[in-house]
Amino acid sequence: MSSSTKSTSKETVLVITVGFLALYLIFKHRIFLTVSFVIGLAGLLSSWLSEKIDIVWNKLSLLLGRISNTLLLTLIFFLVLTPMGLIRRLLGKGNLLRVREGQQTNFTDREHSFTKQDLENVW
């Protein structure tokens, strides 16, 4: 095992310990102090255990990240995009991809031969 992995797992255990201490100071529940003490002591006494705590912590963060991303995107879709679409439909704006009358496509033909000067200053 590399020393950077050990260092990272010890840092993770320290962050979790300090986080539970902060929760204890905020809420004054003894369980936070006990959990902080147990995790800190486990991480201090056993490198193997601190690595396992680090792995569990990283898996939990990935899970919470997926849940929060899905929840936020769902809320944005139903609270912002769906009402906007319904309002556009009620106002008669309708479909943005609708082909204009008398045309087969929304694309316009452009008869242009590209030269070297077209590609020198693209922006």
Side-chain angles (χ1 to χ4, degrees):
M1 161 150 331
S2 66
S3 63
S4 66
T5 306
K6 286 183 183 179
S7 175
T8 304
S9 64
K10 296 287 185 186
E11 289 173 4
T12 302
V13 169
L14 179 63
V15 166
I16 294 170
T17 303
V18 170
F20 276 109
L21 283 175
L23 288 173
Y24 171 72
L25 292 174
I26 293 170
F27 296 111
K28 304 288 188 223
H29 289 287
R30 191 170 173 88
I31 188 72
F32 294 126
L33 186 62
T34 305
V35 171
S36 173
F37 180 74
V38 169
I39 290 176
L41 192 61
L44 183 65
L45 295 178
S46 172
S47 293
W48 180 82
L49 200 52
S50 66
E51 291 168 19
K52 298 306 175 197
I53 291 171
D54 183 41
I55 290 170
V56 169
W57 184 257
N58 286 330
K59 296 288 183 185
L60 179 65
S61 69
L62 289 174
L63 176 68
L64 290 176
R66 281 199 178 183
I67 290 171
S68 66
N69 285 343
T70 304
L71 183 66
L72 285 174
L73 289 174
T74 302
L75 287 174
I76 289 171
F77 180 79
F78 285 112
L79 297 178
V80 176
L81 295 176
T82 302
M84 284 177 59
L86 291 174
I87 290 171
R88 281 189 62 85
R89 232 178 234 180
L90 289 174
L91 294 176
K93 305 273 177 155
N95 189 358
L96 293 175
L97 300 176
R98 183 176 34 210
V99 177
R100 295 180 199 104
E101 289 182 29
Q103 292 182 337
Q104 295 294 323
T105 180
N106 282 331
F107 291 105
T108 57
D109 290 329
R110 183 175 178 217
E111 301 295 332
H112 179 73
S113 297
F114 287 97
T115 63
K116 181 180 176 183
Q117 288 78 21
D118 291 331
L119 301 176
E120 283 180 0
N121 191 4
V122 179
W123 306 112

